[in-house]
């Protein structure tokens, strides 16, 4: 790839890369530049990947033989290493993912229809992918190196679903990819409605126009049933609130109700089963620990080797 810039004498750029197995996710910021990829360069080397960039700030445009596309913040920008291109930028900050074409079950002759297609990151499949990439790059520390390939699979499925949306070519995708996409949409729906005590397998299935049997089959390969998955997310959310010093004055029953436990006895029983202690005792222990930590000047450092591998 050829890089030109009017800021060549003082060109500045930064890039942080996360390795997710075959998939790569990165965040970057560049001074104004032009990236150019010619047929000769492609013949010399082609890793055969698709790249999707979420524009966080800045503007620019991409030029291909078949299309010219302008982009702005909150746009997703699709490129291919196999197609000649010229990408102009005023200086941008982006979050991007690179996926090998071999992992995306799309006919090769559809590549030109995908590359350069304008995609909004503010709604639908574009928003789903953008939210995942933004969250992942914002704080990769909680993930272990062994999580990388699994996260790469999730990213690949999201990209495949986005391409299907762009092409309106659902039949081109294998059934297992459709199933994974449906499972991801259902999980997103569950997270948004955890506060609703009426959130049940029946209401979830109805919202997605599938049978409860189909819903349970989708979760067969997960680590919990649908009901258990909902309960675990609710308890995790309640636990975060109970251990948050800023919420120490909020009654426990109010936190329980906020996360879908309208009956205090049910919440206490579920909490004790999950964490081996009552909500009251857990809150007291956590707040006491915060007070002791606040009284010291110790700084906790991330242990070497923890979290996903990052390169700068």
């Amino acid at each position: 790839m050829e890089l030109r810039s009017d800021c060549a004498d003082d060109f500045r750029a930064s890039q942080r890369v996360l390795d997710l197995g075959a998939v790569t996710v990165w965040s970057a910021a560049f001074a104004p530049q032009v990236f150019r990829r010619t047929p000769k360069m492609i013949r010399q080397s082609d890793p055969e990947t698709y790249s999707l960039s979420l524009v966080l700030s800045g503007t620019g445009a991409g030029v291909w033989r078949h299309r010219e596309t302008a982009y702005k913040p909150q746009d997703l920008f699709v490129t291919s290493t196999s197609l000649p291109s010229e990408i102009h930028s005023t200086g941008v900050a982006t979050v991007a993912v690179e996926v090998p074409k071999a992992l995306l079950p799309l006919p090769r002759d559809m590549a030109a229809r995908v590359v350069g297609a304008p995609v909004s990151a503010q709604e639908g499949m574009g928003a789903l992918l953008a939210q995942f990439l933004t969250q992942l790059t914002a704080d990769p520390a909680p993930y272990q190196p062994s999580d990388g390939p699994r996260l790469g699979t999730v990213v690949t499925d999201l990209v495949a679903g986005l391409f299907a949306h762009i092409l309106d070519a659902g039949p081109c995708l294998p059934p297992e990819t459709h199933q994974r996409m449906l499972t991801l949409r259902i999980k997103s729906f569950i997270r948004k409605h955890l506060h609703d005590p009426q959130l049940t397998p029946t209401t979830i299935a109805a919202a997605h126009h599938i049978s409860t049997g189909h819903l349970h089959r989708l979760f067969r390969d997960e680590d919990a049933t649908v009901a258990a998955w909902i309960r675990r997310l609710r308890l995790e959310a309640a636990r975060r609130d109970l251990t948050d010093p800023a919420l120490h004055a909020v009654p426990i029953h109010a936190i329980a109700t906020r996360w879908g436990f309208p009956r205090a006895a049910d919440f206490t029983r579920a909490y004790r089963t999950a964490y081996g202690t009552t909500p009251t005792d857990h809150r007291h222990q956590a707040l006491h620990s915060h007070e002791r930590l606040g009284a010291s000047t110790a700084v906790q450092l991330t242990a070497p080797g923890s979290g996903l591998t990052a390169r700068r």
Side-chain angles (χ1 to χ4, degrees):
M1 184 177 288
E2 177 185 295
L3 170 61
R4 302 194 311 272
S5 176
D6 292 337
C7 307
D9 292 337
D10 187 28
F11 184 80
R12 297 178 182 272
S14 64
Q15 186 178 42
R16 187 167 186 265
V17 180
L18 299 178
D19 295 316
L20 306 181
V23 175
T24 302
V25 172
W26 49 267
S27 56
F30 295 98
Q33 82 286 295
V34 177
F35 287 117
R36 188 164 174 257
R37 187 155 168 79
T38 66
K40 181 180 179 180
M41 293 175 177
I42 294 170
R43 290 193 298 270
Q44 290 174 335
S45 175
D46 184 6
E48 296 196 353
T49 63
Y50 288 111
S51 176
L52 291 86
S53 299
L54 169 64
V55 182
L56 301 177
S57 64
T59 60
V63 181
W64 296 266
R65 291 174 178 171
H66 67 290
R67 174 181 285 149
E68 293 186 16
T69 304
Y71 59 88
K72 61 186 184 303
Q74 295 306 307
D75 281 348
L76 273 166
F77 195 63
V78 185
T79 61
S80 167
T81 59
S82 304
L83 294 177
S85 62
E86 191 166 286
I87 312 298
H88 299 253
S89 171
T90 60
V92 296
T94 66
V95 174
V97 56
E98 294 179 356
V99 183
K101 292 182 180 180
L103 298 182
L104 296 169
L106 294 173
R108 289 182 176 271
D109 59 357
M110 291 188 175
R113 293 175 55 192
V114 171
V115 171
V119 183
S120 172
Q122 296 181 298
E123 60 184 8
M125 295 301 303
L128 197 61
L129 175 61
Q131 290 165 11
F132 187 86
L133 294 177
T134 302
Q135 180 179 354
L136 180 62
T137 54
D139 184 17
Y143 303 104
Q144 297 299 320
S146 58
D147 293 326
R150 290 188 281 269
L151 291 168
T153 298
V154 174
V155 172
T156 301
D157 286 340
L158 288 171
V159 173
L162 177 62
F163 283 4
H165 173 75
I166 295 172
L167 298 168
D168 193 23
C172 294
L173 296 174
E176 57 269 21
T177 299
H178 283 295
Q179 297 290 77
R180 288 196 294 267
M181 287 305 307
L182 178 56
T183 303
L184 288 171
R185 287 197 296 271
I186 288 172
K187 286 183 174 181
S188 177
F189 177 86
I190 290 173
R191 289 189 179 95
K192 291 178 180 178
H193 294 83
L194 281 177
H195 63 279
D196 184 357
Q198 302 304 316
L199 183 70
T200 65
T202 301
T203 58
I204 294 168
H208 291 83
H209 310 290
I210 60 176
S211 67
T212 53
H214 188 181
L215 176 64
H216 289 305
R217 286 193 294 274
L218 289 173
F219 274 73
R220 188 175 296 163
D221 294 330
E222 304 298 318
D223 57 356
T225 64
V226 182
W229 205 76
I230 295 171
R231 183 169 59 252
R232 184 175 69 190
L233 290 182
R234 283 174 166 166
L235 287 170
E236 289 174 353
R239 187 185 189 187
R240 287 194 299 271
D241 283 0
L242 287 172
T243 57
D244 186 346
L247 301 177
H248 73 278
V250 179
I252 290 177
H253 69 83
I255 290 176
T257 301
R258 173 188 298 171
W259 294 112
F261 292 98
R263 298 179 57 184
D266 291 343
F267 174 63
T268 300
R269 183 167 51 253
Y271 202 93
R272 184 192 291 274
T273 299
Y275 302 118
T277 185
T278 66
T280 301
D281 289 344
H282 195 174
R283 169 180 260 188
H284 177 76
Q285 293 168 3
L287 294 179
H288 183 62
S289 297
H290 278 295
E291 290 172 358
R292 286 187 301 169
L293 186 61
S296 70
T297 59
V299 177
Q300 183 177 354
L301 300 177
T302 302
S306 65
L308 289 174
T309 300
R311 305 195 305 272
R312 290 185 184 272

